[in-house]
Amino acid sequence: MTLQFVAHWLAFMWAVTKKSELTAAVKKGRSAGATGFELIYHVLNGLSPSKTAAALKAGGMWQAFMCIFFPGDASMGDPLGEGASYAKALATFRRVIAFIVRLRTHGIKIDMIVGPSCWALGRAYDMDWTEKKRRIIGFYTDLAPELQAAGIRVAIEHLRGGEDRVIESPVQWKELIEALNAAITGVQFGAHFDTHHMLERGYSLVGVIRLLGKLIIHLHFNGTLRRPAGGEGDTVEWRPVVDTLHDEGVDNLGCANEPFCALVRLNCSELGDGLPPPVDEPGGMVTTRKTLEANGVTILAA
């Protein structure tokens, strides 16, 4: 199995206002063998598309992915809301699509939105699964013209309990993705599979991979409690995980670890709740990459 190793924004930074900050993070990721960078949308990125692209290229990367999430306070809107809140969520998402398109004009290859991009984090919605699914399909249907025109794929992430009160099981996750692909032509929807969230929910990593199969289009490899995969304190058996991904035909995807650095925990303390102290990066990235390689993954070179 061949994967592209990707550095994650939250491994190094929180809010960024200077190009030099992003460039420094990209260089650290590049030193660990990453050839792509997972960006966070403009709520944390104070740089223009041109400066973001320049920072990526100055650090030695020309490929990126874009993570979108909606804060629980609905400050960026709520994709499952109504009225002004829903309209704000659409406007937020459209600004991110426009940002992606602008990145391309500056030489960055990017065609995928990842993360939990269709609900407000941590919000408990007073509606059943059928209604939540209907609203999610409606949200992406309203965005379909822009997604189609830009050729952007969407990988939806199922988070740990408390952060994700919308998708209640891997079966619902699969059902949602299949329903989106059936309802919306010209846009590929898939699963953003993060091992940490699956482990926190008590799911079998191998079982979920077998259920989703090639619906998985983006990967996060995190060990026990977000530790580096294969690092001290990680108890995950990685060989069966890699072997099952291979058996299911999951290949040539981007993969990252998402460890939540000290700055992230300082600015959003709940993200560090229950986790061991952060590892100084890119040390955790190096450990994760070496673990993947030791278990049969070929990491794409630049």
Side-chain angles (χ1 to χ4, degrees):
M1 182 172 67
T2 301
L3 298 173
Q4 180 187 16
F5 198 45
V6 176
H8 196 285
W9 183 287
L10 297 180
F12 305 101
M13 306 172 292
W14 185 243
V16 168
T17 58
K18 297 178 181 178
K19 189 180 80 170
S20 58
E21 295 172 316
L22 179 54
T23 296
V26 175
K27 286 182 177 179
K28 288 181 180 179
R30 189 73 191 89
S31 72
T35 54
F37 201 90
E38 192 167 318
L39 299 165
I40 301 291
Y41 71 122
H42 62 278
V43 70
L44 294 180
N45 185 2
L47 305 178
S48 66
S50 62
K51 288 185 177 179
T52 299
L56 290 169
K57 291 186 287 188
M61 294 189 193
W62 281 260
Q63 183 163 4
F65 302 79
M66 182 67 77
C67 177
I68 298 179
F69 60 87
F70 287 88
D73 62 5
S75 57
M76 308 305 293
D78 184 349
L80 299 188
E82 297 177 323
S85 181
Y86 179 74
K88 191 171 188 177
L90 287 175
T92 295
F93 210 106
R94 286 174 174 140
R95 285 198 298 273
V96 177
I97 293 173
F99 194 101
I100 289 171
V101 172
R102 290 293 295 165
L103 283 177
R104 292 175 180 168
T105 68
H106 295 286
I108 301 301
K109 181 181 178 182
I110 178 169
D111 71 350
M112 185 181 290
I113 287 171
V114 303
S117 62
C118 52
W119 68 85
L121 291 180
R123 179 162 292 192
Y125 294 93
D126 186 20
M127 60 186 80
D128 62 18
W129 170 241
T130 299
E131 178 63 12
K132 287 185 284 190
K133 184 174 66 172
R134 185 190 71 79
R135 292 195 185 197
I136 290 170
I137 293 172
F139 179 65
Y140 289 123
T141 297
D142 285 344
L143 294 164
E146 290 93 340
L147 291 168
Q148 291 164 347
I152 293 173
R153 300 175 289 158
V154 179
I156 298 171
E157 188 175 17
H158 181 19
L159 304 182
R160 63 180 177 170
E163 294 175 340
D164 179 352
R165 300 185 181 186
V166 173
I167 302 172
E168 298 172 1
S169 70
V171 171
Q172 286 188 353
W173 194 11
K174 179 182 181 183
E175 179 186 324
L176 173 62
I177 293 166
E178 291 178 336
L180 285 165
N181 283 322
I184 302 172
T185 59
V187 181
Q188 181 189 6
F189 292 88
H192 171 171
F193 180 84
D194 184 312
T195 57
H196 170 68
H197 297 300
M198 302 300 97
L199 292 166
E200 286 294 282
R201 284 183 173 267
Y203 301 156
S204 160
L205 297 180
V206 167
V208 177
I209 293 167
R210 285 177 177 159
L211 176 70
L212 296 174
K214 294 185 78 171
L215 289 176
I216 298 171
I217 60 174
H218 192 67
L219 292 160
H220 277 181
F221 290 109
N222 296 298
T224 308
L225 295 177
R226 287 199 184 276
R227 289 179 173 91
E232 182 179 356
D234 177 27
T235 61
V236 176
E237 295 183 24
W238 289 103
R239 174 61 71 169
V241 173
V242 171
D243 286 349
T244 306
L245 287 167
H246 174 75
D247 291 345
E248 293 297 326
V250 178
D251 199 10
N252 291 312
L253 305 184
C255 72
N257 70 322
E258 186 186 15
F260 293 167
C261 68
L263 274 176
V264 170
R265 302 180 196 207
L266 178 65
N267 285 276
C268 190
S269 60
E270 59 266 31
L271 289 179
D273 289 348
L275 302 184
V279 174
D280 187 31
E281 297 295 341
M285 286 186 64
V286 171
T287 298
T288 297
R289 177 178 57 78
K290 288 181 177 179
T291 296
L292 294 176
E293 291 173 329
N295 284 281
V297 174
T298 299
I299 299 296
L300 285 171

